[in-house]
Amino acid sequence: MPALAATPPAPMRRSWRERWLAFRNGRIASPAFQRWATGFPLTRGIARRNTRALFDLCAGFVYSQVLFACVRLDLFRMLEPGPQGLGDLARRLGLPRERAERLLKAAASLKLVSALPDGRYALADLGAALIGNPSVAAMIEHHAMLYADLADPVALLRGEAGSTRLAEYWLYADHARLGAAGDESVAAYSGLMSASQALVAEDVLDAYPLDDHACLMDVGGGEGAFSAAAARRHVSMKLKLFDLPPVAARAARRLAELGLSGRVDCLGGSFHGGALPTGADVISLVRIVHDHDDSAAAALLRAAHSALPPGGTLLIAEPMAGTPGAEPIGDAYFGFYLLAMGSGRARTATELQDMLTAAGFAEIHEIRTRRPLLTRLITAKKVAKV
């Protein structure tokens, strides 16, 4: 008996939204429609904004390199005392006059500096803001590694890029290397992490004052930026810092320099596959969870739950995916940064809340922070068993 021919599956009926998107995208992709839209009064503004947005995506690397050059040459510090002429700036920058002018015009177009009517240059708001946030300048310098790792993003996505500079830099991205960690290997990233934590520590402590707690343990606390900020605000609170042994040793030295050696107990260890120290009624994870893949992050949350007493609180503070108005930071920037690092991903607040529930936490809430694009804050409690 001849075999029956297979019946092809019936095509899925597309929703009205899918049909509308297909029609709309077809029109937008048409060169004839694009020419018409740039001339028609009701669509001209939209077309021009979209053209600019696409060009900015193409040129974004050049813009970032202009910023990098300004930071590397210390241009903003030079302009801090007041406006200066092109000749003086060229001499101080160590650049030929024409190339100094090229840099200054580029920086002015990006609103980093301002070109004055008399030909001098002055700081603009963005350049002035960088002077007040040295940690941002440190991150700009650090991005040279990221740019090198993203030279071939397709190879990175396919896992064909080999060892990346960020993976070598962030030692904890490779758990197998943690046992060999020494002071020299952690010095660079510990300093950068400390600078970046200082930027968000005050925002976290503003959002969640620690007055109702007796002892804070900052897990993955680096050189103690968050612990120091908490110590200054809460003079009677006991404080612990937990990080890799060489990092904890650096934290002890740094906190001693700040006059806080008797306030913070710096503990060395690894939370990968091990328990956390006990004794704290609030544990903070400041920009830590997103650095780790799901299995390691889940294990860390379980360890935090075990280390807390009943009624204890866990704080998770980090940039999150899906932040309104800052969506590219979580999914584009951190998505590719952490891919190059070799560990972790930015998660939505809902994903983190689900992970906290799975780890045994309850009373999970998000608390608003001043700058959610830099850090959002989730709190969770370990409730007593009934």
Side-chain angles (χ1 to χ4, degrees), residues 33-47:
F33 177 83
Q34 293 172 13
R35 289 194 300 272
W36 172 83
T38 56
F40 185 61
L42 296 181
T43 58
R44 183 187 301 142
I46 297 173

Side-chain angles (χ1 to χ4, degrees), residues 28-268:
I28 293 174
S30 166
F33 177 83
Q34 293 172 13
R35 289 194 300 272
W36 172 83
T38 56
F40 185 61
L42 296 181
T43 58
R44 183 187 301 142
I46 297 173
R48 290 178 179 177
R49 285 194 297 272
N50 287 345
T51 300
R52 167 65 189 271
L54 281 173
F55 189 86
D56 282 347
L57 285 173
C58 294
F61 177 73
V62 177
Y63 301 160
S64 65
Q65 292 302 89
V66 170
L67 174 61
F68 181 84
C70 291
V71 170
R72 175 64 62 86
L73 293 169
D74 210 19
L75 173 62
F76 306 129
R77 291 280 181 195
M78 292 178 190
L79 290 173
E80 187 176 10
Q84 297 185 45
L86 174 60
D88 288 339
L89 283 171
R91 176 180 53 80
R92 296 182 65 189
L93 291 168
L95 297 175
R97 182 184 178 93
E98 184 276 331
R99 296 197 177 187
E101 184 177 26
R102 190 181 296 256
L103 173 63
L104 288 160
K105 285 183 175 180
S109 74
L110 298 175
K111 304 187 185 307
L112 296 166
V113 303
S114 297
L116 303 182
D118 62 4
R120 294 182 300 162
Y121 288 88
L123 276 178
D125 289 351
L126 294 180
L130 283 171
I131 292 177
N133 292 288
S135 60
V136 178
M139 285 299 298
I140 292 167
E141 290 265 10
H142 166 71
H143 277 106
M145 295 184 185
L146 176 61
Y147 300 150
D149 289 341
L150 291 179
D152 188 345
V154 175
L156 185 66
L157 286 164
R158 289 176 173 166
E160 300 170 352
S163 178
T164 64
R165 295 183 65 183
L166 284 182
E168 292 294 323
Y169 183 82
W170 295 107
L171 177 71
Y172 58 76
D174 182 358
H175 301 173
R177 297 167 55 208
L178 293 180
D183 185 77
E184 184 177 346
S185 62
V186 303
Y189 87 72
S190 294
L192 180 64
M193 187 168 66
S194 179
S196 63
Q197 275 196 343
L199 189 65
V200 302
E202 301 300 336
D203 286 4
V204 173
L205 294 170
D206 285 343
Y208 188 86
L210 298 170
D211 305 276
D212 294 334
H213 295 284
C215 180
L216 165 72
M217 180 167 67
D218 188 27
V219 174
E223 295 187 0
F226 187 73
S227 296
R232 287 190 290 266
R233 290 202 184 200
H234 304 280
V235 295
S236 62
M237 171 176 272
K238 295 181 180 179
L239 297 138
K240 299 181 181 183
L241 181 149
F242 182 76
D243 211 316
L244 295 173
V247 179
R250 293 181 63 84
R253 293 194 294 270
R254 175 61 178 156
L255 290 166
E257 293 172 359
L258 297 174
L260 297 171
S261 57
R263 294 286 316 280
V264 185
D265 187 12
C266 297
L267 308 172

Side-chain angles (χ1 to χ4, degrees), residues 289-316:
V289 179
H290 72 337
D291 283 346
H292 300 281
D293 293 333
D294 288 350
S295 59
L300 172 57
L301 297 183
R302 291 193 299 270
H305 186 271
S306 296
L308 284 167
T313 300
L314 176 67
L315 308 180
I316 296 179

Side-chain angles (χ1 to χ4, degrees), residues 289-290 292-294 297 319-321 345-349 351-352 355:
V289 179
H290 72 337
H292 300 281
D293 293 333
D294 288 350
M320 298 179 194
R345 66 184 181 92
R347 298 173 178 89
T348 66
E351 287 178 304
L352 287 169
M355 293 178 72

